[in-house]
Amino acid sequence: MKIRLPKYSLREIVNTILYVNRTGVQWDLLPHDLPPATSVFYYYSLWIKDGTPKRIHDLLRAEVRSRAGRAREPRAAVMDSQSVKSSFSAGSETVGTDGGKKVKGRKRHIIADTMGLLLAVIVTAANIHDRHGGQILLDDVHDAHPTVVKTWAAGAYGGLRSRGVCLDIKLEITTKGLATCGFTPLTQRWKSERTFGWLSRSRRLAQDVEATTHSAEAQIYWTMTGLMLRRATTTSTITTYRTGRQTDTPTRT
């Protein structure tokens, strides 16, 4: 029996997924020195089904925390959400309107450690209240990271205090004072905003262009994976995700 060897290495496949994530290029418009879109998308879809993006992400997070002198598992977290516009390719059943932020699209619910590294993320229609997404996040963190005993969150999550008590997680709500005007960094919560800032550097996440929420969650994990890889290797972002033939990096003038 003849065994057929893969034509492209998994490293090239991963590099191409990170290239798509960082640049926002369409699958069919990949540069010719990268593996073809059909091969890359096959692995991309397969890995979404078996949870590979999250497993890679979680292993890297533990390593980055360890290199920073932190425990591999966190004890505290921050929780927040972000509403973003969706494209025409998004399924209508996964799209809604966030009345507070006047955004029609999807909502990214995240919970991150105090370094801003993701512990869990879910993507829903934008009309889903933060409280519902927050309950799922708290349950996920309790199951996957039992060391977490405290979480900071916005006022929208106030109704989850009792849920936090059941999970042995102290939920602290931080809000602006009544006399406060303009931007004010809130205790610990500013770290979740920093995480959203990191996500916005990926052009694939400028808006939600994914057909499914599972793919949208995978893109978020790939973004954070790329960020942690750069931290672990201190590699420039200019040529990180190119494989095959390399071109000279233009100098800035």
Side-chain angles (χ1 to χ4, degrees), residues 59-120:
L59 289 170
L60 275 172
R61 184 192 60 244
E63 179 64 23
V64 169
R65 286 183 58 86
S66 180
R67 291 187 178 212
R70 306 288 189 94
R72 295 178 71 86
E73 285 295 324
R75 292 180 55 82
V78 289
M79 184 164 55
D80 209 344
S81 68
Q82 177 191 49
S83 295
V84 293
K85 294 181 179 180
S86 59
S87 68
F88 67 91
S89 59
S92 58
E93 70 280 0
T94 66
V95 174
T97 301
D98 184 337
K101 298 180 180 177
K102 305 296 189 294
V103 173
K104 181 178 180 180
R106 288 177 175 158
K107 183 177 289 187
R108 299 163 180 164
H109 307 262
I110 69 166
I111 186 165
D113 65 13
T114 52
M115 290 181 64
L117 305 178
L118 285 182
L119 300 178

Side-chain angles (χ1 to χ4, degrees), residues 19 230 235-242 249-250 252:
Y19 180 84
R230 293 193 295 274
T235 306
S236 169
T237 62
I238 297 177
T239 58
T240 301
Y241 308 140
R242 296 305 298 269
T249 302
R252 294 186 175 93

Side-chain angles (χ1 to χ4, degrees), residues 9-250:
S9 70
L10 292 183
R11 177 169 181 172
E12 287 188 353
I13 298 297
V14 170
N15 283 344
T16 305
I17 292 174
L18 292 174
Y19 180 84
V20 169
N21 176 269
R22 181 73 177 186
T23 64
V25 66
Q26 297 179 35
W27 291 105
D28 291 339
L29 298 180
L30 284 174
H32 297 301
D33 57 344
L34 297 178
T38 51
S39 299
V40 179
F41 193 77
Y42 167 79
Y43 283 100
Y44 175 79
S45 302
L46 182 66
W47 289 342
I48 288 177
K49 294 178 182 177
D50 65 16
T52 294
K54 188 176 188 306
R55 287 200 299 274
I56 294 175
H57 169 275
D58 290 350
L59 289 170
L60 275 172
R61 184 192 60 244
E63 179 64 23
V64 169
R65 286 183 58 86
S66 180
R67 291 187 178 212
R70 306 288 189 94
R72 295 178 71 86
E73 285 295 324
R75 292 180 55 82
V78 289
M79 184 164 55
D80 209 344
S81 68
Q82 177 191 49
S83 295
V84 293
K85 294 181 179 180
S86 59
S87 68
F88 67 91
S89 59
S92 58
E93 70 280 0
T94 66
V95 174
T97 301
D98 184 337
K101 298 180 180 177
K102 305 296 189 294
V103 173
K104 181 178 180 180
R106 288 177 175 158
K107 183 177 289 187
R108 299 163 180 164
H109 307 262
I110 69 166
I111 186 165
D113 65 13
T114 52
M115 290 181 64
L117 305 178
L118 285 182
L119 300 178
V121 59
I122 59 169
V123 176
T124 67
N127 60 332
I128 300 299
H129 196 277
D130 290 355
R131 182 175 63 253
H132 299 301
Q135 180 171 334
I136 297 174
L137 292 178
L138 286 177
D139 291 343
D140 287 349
V141 165
H142 174 71
D143 293 338
H145 307 280
T147 56
V148 174
V149 294
K150 186 171 184 178
T151 299
W152 288 271
Y157 299 97
L160 293 176
R161 284 193 180 96
S162 59
R163 184 61 182 170
V165 171
C166 294
L167 301 175
D168 293 326
I169 299 176
K170 180 182 178 181
L171 185 62
E172 182 175 322
I173 303 301
T174 57
T175 58
K176 288 183 179 181
L178 295 178
T180 304
C181 297
F183 173 75
T184 303
L186 299 177
T187 303
Q188 297 295 337
R189 268 187 54 204
W190 67 269
K191 295 178 180 179
S192 61
E193 297 297 339
R194 179 180 60 183
T195 301
F196 286 129
W198 291 340
L199 297 181
S200 67
R201 294 180 182 180
S202 290
R203 300 188 71 177
R204 188 79 179 191
L205 298 180
Q207 65 174 349
D208 196 322
V209 300
E210 308 305 317
T212 67
T213 56
H214 295 299
S215 181
E217 292 167 6
Q219 288 291 348
I220 293 173
Y221 280 123
W222 282 119
T223 294
M224 293 302 294
T225 294
L227 181 145
M228 290 187 293
L229 282 173
R230 293 193 295 274
R231 286 192 182 184
T233 60
T234 63
T235 306
S236 169
T237 62
I238 297 177
T239 58
T240 301
Y241 308 140
R242 296 305 298 269
T243 59
R245 186 180 70 249
Q246 298 292 334
T247 57
D248 292 335
T249 302

